[in-house]
Amino acid sequence: MMNLVAWLFRIVVFVILAVFASKNSHPVMLQYTLDQSIELPLSVVLLISFALGALIAMIVVRCRCNSND
């Protein structure tokens, strides 16, 4: 039963992300130092930012849990 709930949750998240990506496809310019820049769709920039934030949070939580042992 939990496996079914997990798959339904994954499908809902995928549909939400697909709709989000389709509505935010305008290009944005990311500028770096020394006049370097890259142009990506807004949805890609936001999803990458979200993924990096989630990854950093997971690393911090694991480090805190391991240091308590």
Side-chain angles (χ1 to χ4, degrees):
M1 183 64 176
M2 286 299 284
N3 196 14
L4 177 65
V5 172
W7 274 105
L8 287 174
F9 179 73
R10 290 175 187 157
I11 291 170
V12 168
V13 169
F14 177 77
V15 169
I16 290 171
L17 290 176
V19 170
F20 173 78
S22 69
K23 295 290 183 184
N24 292 294
S25 61
H26 301 289
V28 293
M29 183 74 68
L30 298 177
Q31 296 182 350
Y32 300 101
T33 59
L34 302 173
D35 293 333
Q36 294 179 351
S37 62
I38 186 171
E39 189 170 325
L40 294 170
L42 177 61
S43 59
V44 172
V45 173
L46 291 175
L47 291 174
I48 289 172
S49 300
F50 175 76
L52 286 175
L55 179 66
I56 291 169
M58 285 176 21
I59 291 170
V60 168
V61 167
R62 285 193 183 204
C63 288
R64 286 189 179 179
C65 289
N66 291 337
S67 67
N68 289 337
D69 292 337

